[in-house]
Structure formats: C-alpha cells, structure tokens
Amino acid sequence: MAQEDIFKKIVSHCKEYGFVFPSSDIYDGLGAVYDYGQNGVELKNNIKQYWWQSMVLLHDNIVGIDSAIFMHPTVWKASGHVDAFNDPLIDNRDSKKRYRADVLIEDHIAKLEEKIEKEVAKGRKRFKDAFDEQQFLATNSRVAEIKDKINAVHSRFAKAMAESDFEELRQIILDEEIVCPISGTRNWTEVRQFNLMFKTEVGSTADGATSIYLRPETAQGIFVNYLNVQKTGRMKLPFGIAQIGKAFRNEIVARQFIFRMREFEQMEMQFFVKPGTEMQFFDFWKQTRMAWHQALGFGSENYRFHDHEKLAHYANAATDIEFHLPFGYKEIEGIHSRTDFDLSQHAKFSGKKIEYFDPEENKSYTPYVIETSIGVDRMFLSVICHSYEEEKLDSGETRTVLHLPAALAPIKLAVLPLVKKDGLPEKAREILQQLKFHFNCKYDEKDTIGKRYRRMDAIGTPYCITIDHDTLKDNTVTLRDRDTMEQHRVDINQLIDIIEDKVSLTTLLKKL
Ligand code: GAP
C-alpha cells in the first residue's frame, strides 16, 4: 500500500478510536486545530510524563516550571519574534491559494528524491538478488543526474533562505517550473513576509488595551524566569529549566494532520552553562535526546540527525532529530546552542542585570544556553505512525493493531468476562477493583471475546485478561499478549507484579 494511503488510514483510525478529532468537528472543523479524545489524551499524557520524568526526575540539576501563555509584549521584541518570526508566502493568481514559498521548494526537492527511490526500485527489479543498492546509487547515470539537480536547487534555496532573498525564492519556483497543486499553473505573485504570531488584546479598549501575543514557543517563559529560578532554587551552573505547554503559530500551510498545527504543545528545556563549555553540552544533549527516542524501540534506522548548515544569527550549533514518518524523514525535535543571545536581549530590553555569579571564578557572566525543544503532537504522531499495523493473520483475517510501547499505551489492561452471566461479570469487576489502583484498566463485556480483543488491539492495549468459569474454581485468568496474541493462565494474585513490570514508566526510564 502507498505510504500516502497508509497515512490516510492512520488519520481515520485516530478519529474512529478516540485519539484525535478535528476541532469543533460538528462545525466541520477548524484548519490545523485538533482535539485529543479519550484515548489520545492518555497517550499524550504518557508521552509528556516520559519526557518530564526523564528531565526532572533523572537529572538533579533540572527543575520544571509552568509559565503563563500571555507575556509582556516586549518579550517578543527582545526575542526577535516581532521582527523576524516570518514565513515567505506566495499566492497562485489562478487558484487564489496561498503557499509557503519554502515549502513549495522543499516539496519539489522531495519529489526529486522520490525519483531516486523509483530508480532504485527499478534497479532492484531488474537485477534481483545481484542488486547492490550502494553501488547502484554511486554509479547509475540517471541517479547522478537527479542528485546533481537536487544539490543545485538545494544550495540556491539554502542561500536564498539564509539571506531572506524573496526574489530568488520566487525565481527558483519559476526556474523549476513548480506548479500550483490546485490550478496546475505557474501564475505566481511576488513572495511576501508574514508574521506567524497571533495577536490579541488585554484590558478594555476604553482603558487603552494592550496588544499582546499568544506565545509561539514556551522557551521565552523559561528565559524570563531564569533569575527567579536560579535564585530561589539556589541553582549552580550547569542547570536546566524544563517546561511543557501550549504554543501558537498562525501556520499558513497547515497540513499533514497534527504535524503542523496552529495550536500545539512543546516540551522545552533550556540548559544554562558556562560560556566556552556549550559544545560539550550540545553533544551531551544530542546523544541524551537520541537515546530517549530510541529507548521506545522503534529501530535506530528510523532516526537521523539533520545538522543545520545555515545557523540563526544567535546560534553556534543546531541539529534536528528526524523520524521516518509515512511522508518522509521529518523534524520531531530541535537541539540548539543559542549562546547568550536570549538572556542578553532580555537584559537589554528589561534593563535588569541577568547574570550568574560564579563562585569558583569569583566573577559574573551571562550563561550560554543549550535548548532541547520537542513538539508533543509530532511525538504523538511518530508513536502512532510507527505503531500502526494491518496485520495479516494465519486465518486469512486482517487485524488492525497499535504496537504502542506498553508504558505509553492509553489503557494497560482490559478486564473481560467471557460471558455476561454465571457470576463472571461480578468476578471481573472484583478483579478490576484491585487492579485499577495500579494501572489504567478498562472493563468490557459487550460482544464476543474476539471482537473485544480486536477493539483492544486497535487502541494498543498491551494486555487483556479473560475471566471464565475456571476462574471461579481456581482463581486464575487468561492473560493475552497484544503483540503475540499468545494466552496463558495466570493466578490473579500474580497479575499486578507481572503486568506492572511490563507497563510501568519506570521500566522505560531505566533503559535510559
Ligand atoms: N524554542 C525553539 C523552537 O520553538 P522550533 O524548531 O520552532 O524551535 C520546536 O520548534 C519543535 O516544536 C519542533 O521540532 C516541532 O516538534 C514543534 N513544532 C513547531 N511548530 C509546530 C507546529 N506548527 N505544529 C506542531 N508542532 C510544531
């Protein structure tokens, strides 16, 4: 099945099984805004817990905060967002549709990359077992031609973006004969800048309302609290401040489901270090964050670093952790060495001294910062996409299963009486009563046991127990494993120990 079709299926699965709904669904939705349903919120909370505990619990020099979404408007002047948080937009005159010029070019490059994949597939078909992909990629003339084209477009594009050269962006679109996906024409307007921050007002207009912004990142809430936390927590460098919270961006090209949203959630950690030590900590956080992702067991081949060649003016190193989604390798997390830019800017704009007194050096200086910044929703999407499988069974049937890491699964255990009579529901509820204090359980007595297993597979429940007539005699139940579908009898008194070890976040955290 084409990756595009799989992605469509995942999106409808998310809706059908209570993971993600379009916002204001009964009003036909609101572009790029989504609600998390009864299963989605549990999965999302578990992802957040996994991140939070890996930061705040496992590092004694990292603390958390929860800053407000509304901030003083000068924060965004100081951070550079008022002047530079822009997207280059271009309109197609025929379809009247608006696009991000950079995304049009990136999509064009992705199409060229797909052409290479098609050549590889053709080569594999032709040479069968003798096919050597590395050799083919290095020697095939058609592949070489496409690679040259990609490199040429990419270097023009990177230069135009770095220099904010909008005429050149438009020229690339024209030269590459990129057409509007709706009208199919090349009738493009000029490229214009568009600020991504949402503006609103606080206070009544009569009193003189102040324009403020909905924060486009959570990081600034950390920077403006650096002094508060350092002093009240008596923190010594190096130390970190972590935060999870909503961020808002007026994304123009909103697509790919929850990959690019207008209201989303970030998990950010700013790590304050002594100037000159930042590269050592940048490398440390690159490895630490990659280990966090890979502990989920999705296969190291599905991740890669994408080091930034062109850096923002305040950064001296930056990389993305990309994950293989059905629409290609995409950024899930950014790790940035931001120098002393943010703290210095806030010192300048607020007039406050924002420094650290180093007792060993007996002097004050502005700390440098390494930032790790991951989108909760993108992480959620990567977990769902990797876990989704339409599995062909020996019986010829197909079952849809989410192989979620057990610690992230919304429901850990389903408690299922085999039939709705003979005292089995009562016994099942008695067991549920004991287990529900230990992990998230669901009781289900409707439909055949087979249908109930499938429902649980579809939401990624790692274990099901079935209460049958033997349970009443020998106090045992059938424990079914989601992935292997194997079943074995277990004493009810052993259930907590067996399951807790497999589904607990602690087990996952211990892999780090
Ligand atoms: N403080 C740095 C910062 O915000 P960013 O690369 O703009 O950096 C960090 O964003 C992460 O936030 C991204 O890697 C992505 O996971 C997530 N993110 C950014 N924009 C998003 C959007 N429109 N929808 C969903 N997630 C987004």
Side-chain angles (χ1 to χ4, degrees), residues 254-410:
R255 53 176 193 170
Q256 284 156 340
F257 192 35
I258 54 172
F259 184 79
R260 197 176 298 284
M261 302 160 88
R262 296 202 167 105
E263 175 180 339
F264 57 101
E265 219 167 347
Q266 288 185 316
M267 307 189 278
E268 298 202 293
M269 195 277 301
Q270 312 294 322
F271 200 69
F272 300 93
V273 304
K274 186 175 168 181
T277 64
E278 70 274 16
M279 281 310 150
Q280 163 200 335
F281 286 108
F282 178 70
D283 288 339
F284 169 81
W285 282 109
K286 259 178 91 166
Q287 304 316 324
T288 305
R289 293 303 305 146
M290 187 56 109
W292 182 89
H293 286 276
Q294 295 195 359
L296 292 172
F298 295 163
S300 55
E301 70 283 3
N302 286 309
Y303 298 89
R304 68 182 189 193
F305 284 116
H306 170 237
D307 294 328
H308 293 202
E309 284 160 29
K310 299 277 176 203
L311 296 168
H313 61 281
Y314 53 79
N316 60 5
T319 195
D320 296 333
I321 294 180
E322 295 184 340
F323 183 73
H324 196 199
L325 288 169
F327 42 91
Y329 277 94
K330 295 286 167 189
E331 174 194 338
I332 304 294
E333 170 157 10
I335 298 154
H336 314 121
S337 174
R338 299 179 68 123
T339 67
D340 59 356
F341 173 78
D342 303 88
L343 290 184
S344 301
Q345 284 291 98
H346 288 305
K348 188 168 134 198
F349 279 76
S350 67
K352 305 279 187 322
K353 192 172 162 204
I354 307 181
E355 289 185 340
Y356 174 75
F357 177 73
D358 188 330
E360 282 165 26
E361 303 250 340
N362 199 27
K363 67 172 188 188
S364 295
Y365 50 76
T366 309
Y368 271 35
V369 171
I370 305 300
E371 164 183 79
T372 72
S373 175
I374 170 169
V376 180
D377 313 86
R378 283 195 191 174
M379 187 61 205
F380 183 109
L381 185 62
S382 68
V383 170
I384 286 271
C385 287
H386 189 81
S387 303
Y388 183 89
E389 190 192 7
E390 291 178 13
E391 187 185 355
K392 278 255 169 290
L393 302 176
D394 292 343
S395 62
E397 275 177 276
T398 303
R399 70 159 181 158
T400 303
V401 53
L402 287 185
H403 299 285
L404 296 173
L408 302 186

